[in-house]
Amino acid sequence: MQTFYRDIRYAARNLRRSPAFTATVVLTLALGVGATAAIFSCVYALLLQSLPFTDAGRIIALSETHPQITGGIEATYPDYEDWKEQQHSFTQLAAYSTLNPETVSLVTDGHAQQVHRVLASGNFFSVLGITPRIGRLIGEQDDKPENDHVAMLSASAWDRYFGNDPGIVGRSVNLNGTAFTIIGVLPVGAAYPSEGEVWLPLSLLDQETRASRVWHSVRVLGRLRPGVKFPEARADLQAVSARLAAAYPATNRNIGVQLRPLREELVGTLRPAMLSLFGAVFLVLLIACANVANLLMVRATAQRREIAVRQALGAGRTQFFFQFLAQAIVLCLLGGSLGIALAAGVLPLLRMALAHAASLDPSMIQSIGLNIPVLLFALFTCLMTAILFSIFPLMNTSPRLTEALRTGERGSTGSRSRKRSALIAGEIAIAVVVLFLSTLVVRSFQKLLAVDPGFRIDHLLSAEITLPEPKYGDDSSITNHFYEQLLENLARSPGISSAATTTVVPLKPSQVMTRFLVEGAPPTSPGIFPAAQIRYVSPDFFHTFGLALQSGRVFEQKDIENSTKSFVVNAAFARRYLAGRNPLDANILLGVLSPHPEKIPVIGVVSDAHDLGIESEAQPEIYLPGFGLHAVLLVRTFADPASVESVVQNAVRTLDPNQPIYHVQTVDALMSNSTARQRMTAMLLGIFSVVALALAAIGIYGVLSYSVAQRSREIGVRMAVGATRARILRLVLAQAAQFTGTGLAVGVGVALVSARIIRGLLFDIGTADPLSACIAIGLLVLAAVVAATIPALRAASVNPNEALRAE
């Protein structure tokens, strides 16, 4: 150990005498380690760190699937009850609902505001394995109609609305005009679903919904029994789902079940993006390591005479290994420390980007940091790098004293040169992979931004309103009057062009669908019905939203006043279900599972809108005239839409002083938020590709510069016997072309295979996109030409007399 300490001191002295070499290596390592540590911090916090639930790995999220809907949807309450009775894989199943409505009005200190509500079954928190921060949890005894006026708060809601008042337990609060008693507060980070602020018993779900196999209203969590594996549980629930389809063909035919681990349910689409970013930054680290390995091999070559003399005097290769290891450890500790500091500076920006890119619990975002696992990962990376760096120089030392002392040695034309060239070819191959994947993602994002949403996003403000049911729910005329007055007052307000209501926020994914039949269409098998998105809208919706009328007419005020039943459909609906007929002569049957379906005529066709998300194709949609307790208010303005927020709030409070609006944002901002994940991924991959390109160029420059320096005598001889400067220039560029070509060939092959891994991140672009490949190859060739030209020009300017003087 004492000898190793001596080697460390010796390495530190040597590195101090070579400040340029030391600075180059340390900065290169800092860049690679810092970027890797920063991304690993995100990966660890989101994908690896323990969730704040007991044995969270055994908690599974269950949902139903529909052949016409991508992903999982809510289950019907009767299906959930049947799952509980018939399954054998879970100790218990619990249900929760965020629908009808997803928010409620909370009155504190005479001021009303909307809070996100979750209805949870009595065993919900038992399945999660949560211990309350204060008070108690909702239990089975609370999930009964006679005891269900109790509520729990999230830690953030307790802080935001009640100032962390420790006396909150037992206090009565007003939710939607009804008194509820607070019985407990959840611990920090334990809110599930993450947007939840107040939890109420599931028994508050209305009886009609609880009895319906048509209305999909609840999501389900289950805790696996000890010894039961995920595939077994999935097979078990699929068997139950098949039995339900056979028992209830009218409603459950083709309805399946989907199981996902809880973490996957929480992280969602962010998982592939994070893994892709980690893979890209790891490749950048490899390029940085290859550069440093080349520098250390060059340094070892320069020291080979000293090493050969020491070998001749009896020094063993083990001694040299520890000497190189000491040097590598010093460099890696310096580079790693600087890299950690770099990561610490970058992490706040990453947290900000992730907060906009995903609907995650804020505690998950805040947990992204330089914790012990991340620091251990960085230390492990530095240690492995140091050991690797110790081996490469050892391979580059000469065991022969006579060879090392030969004054006329021609330098880097032998095996040592091939090793360095192989490393640079590897760097180029990795850089091609990073560049190609980054270009694919960036081009995919450009295509996404180029999609026409089908409606005008400029000068449009969106806000949500949820009217309390006890006050407005009993009489639809009161609700209608409220919204009619509100829209009329807004239309007269300065700065506002028009106002309308709908049921779903633009660009927000929604599965609000209805089964239907087209009158006169061929009959279907039991349980096989077409389905379409359905919206309730006010008469001025189409004008305000910017949808063009293609045929017929849109709704008028009389359609609401007279409760006229009529449909407006979009072009996608007309193409898919009304092809070959005049849409205005069609009748749509709703309530197809009832004995007497309702026949409703189509009165108009409007243009398509990508209002389920810019990535989604326009889906068939049905529009109905009318208002509900929950509405999305759309306000078209003449100037900046954010400037009329106070006007909208005042117009609402004029009609109802206790009625808040919430989720107020411009549709421009909604558009930006809808592509935030893709923007973050494209931006970070773009940065990594620039770093990879720069490191590859530096590697090419370094190898060629050293090669020219080592071959200066050879070049002098060539020029002395008649070689022109152009020939010398071609000689050096040919060397660069050789390892560049090899690297490009290998890199393109690996990149095309790797692209299949990230196909889930791509939009409207293939994994073998020729233009992306050309851009990646072109950038690498350009970087290689620039990096090789300087050493080549230096070689062509060698003075033969000076080069041969030493001979």
Side-chain angles (χ1 to χ4, degrees), residues 19 21 27 37 99 132 139 142 164 212 254 303 311 335 341 352 385 437-438 464 494 543 559 584 595 665 681 742 788:
F21 167 82
L27 289 175
L99 305 177
D142 303 306
N164 290 327
S212 173
N254 293 330
Q303 297 173 335
Q311 283 180 317
M352 188 183 305
T385 304
L437 299 184
S438 302
E464 292 187 63
H543 167 68
D559 296 316
L584 303 182
Q665 52 192 325
T681 307
T742 302

Side-chain angles (χ1 to χ4, degrees), residues 725-744:
R725 294 183 183 276
R727 186 178 180 85
I728 297 300
L729 190 66
R730 286 197 300 271
L731 178 69
V732 177
L733 290 179
Q735 182 185 355
Q738 185 176 7
F739 55 67
T740 300
T742 302
L744 286 174

Side-chain angles (χ1 to χ4, degrees), residues 523-552:
T524 60
S525 303
I528 307 298
F529 298 100
Q533 304 287 327
I534 187 166
R535 305 277 189 273
Y536 279 89
V537 300
S538 64
D540 210 25
F541 166 77
F542 303 101
H543 167 68
T544 302
F545 201 47
L547 295 182
L549 178 64
Q550 295 185 346
S551 63

Side-chain angles (χ1 to χ4, degrees), residues 274-548:
M274 294 310 305
L275 292 178
S276 299
L277 289 172
F278 185 67
V281 79
F282 183 74
L283 293 179
V284 171
L285 177 63
L286 289 181
I287 297 175
C289 289
N291 263 354
V292 173
N294 255 322
L295 288 172
L296 291 174
M297 288 173 69
V298 167
R299 185 175 174 85
T301 300
Q303 297 173 335
R304 66 185 182 277
R305 295 185 182 181
E306 173 195 342
I307 293 171
V309 170
R310 291 177 60 189
Q311 283 180 317
L313 295 176
R317 293 179 71 84
T318 302
Q319 290 177 274
F320 291 119
F321 171 76
F322 280 106
Q323 180 180 321
F324 289 134
L325 179 61
Q327 175 183 253
I329 286 175
V330 172
L331 290 171
C332 287
L333 285 178
L334 291 173
S337 300
L338 185 58
I340 291 298
L342 177 65
V346 169
L347 281 177
L349 299 177
L350 284 176
R351 285 194 289 265
M352 188 183 305
L354 284 167
H356 287 88
S359 299
L360 296 173
D361 190 298
S363 64
M364 292 187 74
I365 300 293
Q366 293 306 316
S367 69
I368 297 173
L370 298 178
N371 47 36
I372 297 299
V374 173
L375 294 176
L376 288 176
F377 170 81
L379 179 62
F380 175 78
T381 302
C382 290
L383 180 61
M384 292 297 100
T385 304
I387 293 174
L388 184 66
F389 288 168
S390 306
I391 296 173
F392 274 104
L394 197 63
M395 295 165 54
N396 213 37
T397 57
S398 172
R400 296 184 182 179
L401 179 63
T402 54
E403 180 184 337
L405 296 177
R406 189 182 303 149
T407 57
E409 185 185 4
R410 292 172 67 173
S412 60
T413 58
S415 62
R416 288 186 292 272
S417 176
R418 287 193 294 273
K419 293 173 188 174
R420 289 192 290 273
S421 295
L423 275 175
I424 295 302
E427 281 189 49
I428 293 171
I430 296 172
V432 169
V433 174
V434 176
L435 273 170
F436 178 67
L437 299 184
S438 302
T439 305
L440 276 178
V441 173
V442 170
R443 292 199 65 229
S444 169
F445 181 60
Q446 290 175 335
K447 286 178 175 288
L448 187 63
L449 293 181
V451 173
D452 180 6
F455 58 91
R456 287 179 53 200
I457 65 172
D458 63 294
H459 297 90
L460 190 60
L461 187 74
S462 168
E464 292 187 63
I465 304 175
T466 301
L467 301 178
E469 187 171 1
K471 184 175 180 180
Y472 293 90
D474 293 337
D475 188 349
S476 61
S477 63
I478 299 177
T479 303
N480 291 352
H481 180 72
F482 174 89
Y483 284 117
E484 288 166 1
Q485 285 292 110
L486 174 61
L487 295 178
E488 185 179 337
N489 293 345
L490 286 173
R492 292 198 303 261
S493 299
I496 294 178
S497 168
S498 62
T501 60
T502 182
T503 49
V504 181
V505 175
L507 300 169
K508 179 181 178 181
S510 166
Q511 304 299 349
V512 182
M513 304 185 75
T514 184
R515 295 177 174 93
F516 68 92
L517 285 175
V518 177
E519 186 181 40
T524 60
S525 303
I528 307 298
F529 298 100
Q533 304 287 327
I534 187 166
R535 305 277 189 273
Y536 279 89
V537 300
S538 64
D540 210 25
F541 166 77
F542 303 101
H543 167 68
T544 302
F545 201 47
L547 295 182

Side-chain angles (χ1 to χ4, degrees), residues 547-617:
L547 295 182
L549 178 64
Q550 295 185 346
S551 63
R553 69 173 181 88
V554 294
F555 303 126
E556 300 173 358
Q557 187 60 37
K558 65 181 182 182
D559 296 316
I560 294 179
E561 293 173 353
N562 301 329
S563 299
T564 305
K565 294 290 182 68
S566 56
F567 279 154
V568 170
V569 300
N570 68 346
F573 186 100
R575 286 193 302 270
R576 183 176 301 182
Y577 300 118
L578 304 178
R581 67 171 72 190
N582 181 1
L584 303 182
D585 293 335
N587 291 313
I588 307 300
L589 302 179
L590 286 192
V592 291
L593 297 179
S594 67
H596 304 288
E598 187 175 12
K599 182 170 65 174
I600 302 176
V602 175
I603 63 169
V605 179
V606 295
S607 57
D608 292 330
H610 294 263
D611 55 356
L612 300 184
I614 203 68
E615 287 183 286
S616 305
E617 290 292 329

Side-chain angles (χ1 to χ4, degrees), residues 132-138 150-154 158 168-170 181-187 197 199:
R133 185 169 179 178
I134 60 173
R136 67 174 181 88
L137 302 169
I138 291 175
V150 296
M152 289 195 65
L153 299 173
S154 68
W158 182 39
I168 189 65
V169 175
T181 302
I182 302 296
I183 61 172
V185 176
L186 295 175
E197 294 178 287
W199 281 257

